[in-house]
Amino acid sequence: MSRYVISDHHFGHSRIIKYTDRPFSSVGKMNQTLLNRHYEAVDETDSLIHLGDVAMDMQNGEETIEFFERLGGDVLLRGNHDVGLDAETAPFPVLQSCILEHGDREFYCTHRPKDIPGDWDGWAIHGHMHNNDTETYPFVAADARRVNVSSELLNYRPLALDTLTGILEACPDGSRIRDVDTARAELR
């Protein structure tokens, strides 16, 4: 069993295609590709910690629940587009943040990087920033001990914590790596 992280699928959100320059011609094709890439990576026995914005669901949470269940998600860290979801009645845990332990590392996880506590001295995992400012919020900012798991930076595939910790161990101090594909190419 492996644990996976990702954020910002934005299922059903037509404007996200243009906003983040996603390579999809329609919402339907985007939704299907996101699901296919998820199923290629994650087994039924694996767990998924989603760092927010499953869908563009500002009303009642139904779309978030539908897609999160299709992903087989285990924990949702509420994103700004998950506001319609009632955490009290959701059929899965909905949190603002959590701490994940993996090997000898602890990760503070939350949707928005601004919500990482100022006194947190370990690594943090967040989403929200997409691929719009990869100078400030790249996939890995080793100098800030921060990881951005917005789906665009992961090539729309959840990332196993084993893979992430391997990347972090291979990163030179102070490095900044734009996306997961760059990490795999540069850190071989």
Side-chain angles (χ1 to χ4, degrees):
M1 179 177 111
S2 295
R3 293 186 295 168
Y4 287 80
V5 291
I6 194 167
S7 73
D8 298 287
H9 277 101
H10 285 265
F11 286 106
H13 186 188
S14 62
R15 289 183 291 169
I16 200 71
I17 295 170
K18 184 175 180 182
Y19 177 67
T20 63
D21 198 27
R22 289 185 176 188
F24 308 114
S25 60
S26 70
V27 170
K29 288 184 182 194
M30 176 183 74
N31 289 351
Q32 193 58 56
T33 299
L34 295 175
L35 289 168
N36 289 346
R37 290 189 182 178
H38 174 84
Y39 299 141
E40 289 167 4
V42 180
D43 285 337
E44 289 180 10
T45 59
D46 295 330
S47 62
L48 175 70
I49 298 92
H50 199 290
L51 281 82
D53 289 358
V54 172
M56 182 62 172
D57 191 357
M58 306 294 277
Q59 300 299 315
N60 58 19
E62 289 177 8
E63 195 172 12
T64 297
I65 291 170
E66 174 193 343
F67 279 105
F68 196 70
E69 288 182 335
R70 288 177 76 180
L71 295 173
D74 295 283
V75 175
L76 173 61
L77 303 182
R78 184 188 299 275
N80 55 301
H81 290 283
D82 301 316
V83 296
L85 181 64
D86 180 2
E88 302 282 322
T89 60
F92 44 79
V94 179
L95 309 171
Q96 294 302 315
S97 63
C98 71
I99 295 174
L100 290 178
E101 294 182 7
H102 192 78
D104 60 353
R105 294 186 189 268
E106 284 188 333
F107 298 97
Y108 186 91
C109 301
T110 189
H111 181 65
R112 295 179 194 220
K114 73 176 190 169
D115 295 332
I116 300 165
D119 62 349
W120 179 255
D121 64 354
W123 280 87
I125 303 175
H126 68 85
H128 186 65
M129 302 311 295
H130 297 276
N131 58 349
N132 292 315
D133 183 3
T134 55
E135 290 295 317
T136 306
Y137 298 102
F139 164 55
V140 173
D143 55 339
R145 294 172 37 148
R146 196 176 57 227
V147 179
N148 179 356
V149 294
S150 295
S151 65
E152 297 85 6
L153 301 180
L154 303 182
N155 202 13
Y156 309 101
R157 284 181 176 80
L159 182 66
L161 285 176
D162 283 337
T163 302
L164 175 58
T165 56
I167 289 169
L168 297 180
E169 288 169 12
C171 281
D173 288 342
S175 61
R176 296 175 80 74
I177 301 171
R178 182 186 190 288
D179 56 37
V180 73
D181 291 336
T182 302
R184 288 182 172 135
E186 291 181 1
L187 302 174
R188 289 180 186 208

